[in-house]
Amino acid sequence: MSTVADKLARKSSTATNAKQVRLRLVYIDFWSAVKLCFLAAVAVAIATIVMYFLLYLVLQGTGLIGKMDDFFKSFSDGSVTLSQFVGLPQVMAFGSIVAILDLVVITVMGAVVAGIYNLAVKITGGLLVGFTSN
């Protein structure tokens, strides 16, 4: 009884002619680049929000925010504390603003890079890429 692994081993042991193809990348579709960069930016935005949440939890769990409150109270009259400004809602709002800015900047930069590449191709002729088939 032959297993799938045995069939694959026999199949891979036969010599195949590797065909090499050299292609030139002469155009990047603008809207494809924008959509791909937007999806990458969404992933970065989600990671940013999660990072701010976890950072707040670590700072709160270690008691560093309470120690900073004591530090601010030592040179002020005690009416201003850091915990008034650094709570979970404030941290998440700031993280959301940073994530939205990241989303816009990464998407725009992807579009700009695609446009610059398309302009540079007219001068350089494009990027030569080699492929091989197994």
Side-chain angles (χ1 to χ4, degrees):
M1 187 180 294
S2 177
T3 64
V4 174
D6 294 334
K7 289 179 184 177
L8 287 174
R10 276 186 269 134
K11 195 179 222 184
S12 66
S13 65
T14 60
T16 61
N17 294 337
K19 186 184 247 186
Q20 290 186 355
V21 179
R22 294 173 62 127
L23 300 173
R24 190 173 301 269
L25 181 61
V26 295
Y27 179 74
I28 296 177
D29 183 47
F30 181 76
W31 289 113
S32 294
V34 169
K35 288 187 278 187
L36 183 65
C37 288
F38 179 74
L39 288 177
V42 167
V44 169
I46 291 171
T48 300
I49 291 173
V50 169
M51 187 238 357
Y52 273 91
F53 179 70
L54 292 177
L55 185 64
Y56 176 78
L57 287 181
V58 167
L59 291 177
Q60 187 69 25
T62 58
L64 191 60
I65 294 177
K67 290 179 183 177
M68 291 300 290
D69 273 341
D70 295 338
F71 176 71
F72 281 122
K73 286 179 186 176
S74 69
F75 63 84
S76 68
D77 59 355
S79 62
V80 178
T81 60
L82 183 65
S83 59
Q84 292 173 343
F85 302 106
V86 183
L88 185 59
Q90 290 88 1
V91 169
M92 294 310 293
F94 182 74
S96 299
I97 290 169
V98 169
I100 290 170
L101 288 174
D102 281 347
L103 189 88
V104 171
V105 168
I106 291 172
T107 303
V108 168
M109 288 304 295
V112 167
V113 168
I116 289 173
Y117 180 80
N118 287 338
L119 290 174
V121 163
K122 293 180 181 181
I123 298 169
T124 62
L127 183 67
L128 187 64
V129 181
F131 292 98
T132 182
S133 64
N134 290 334

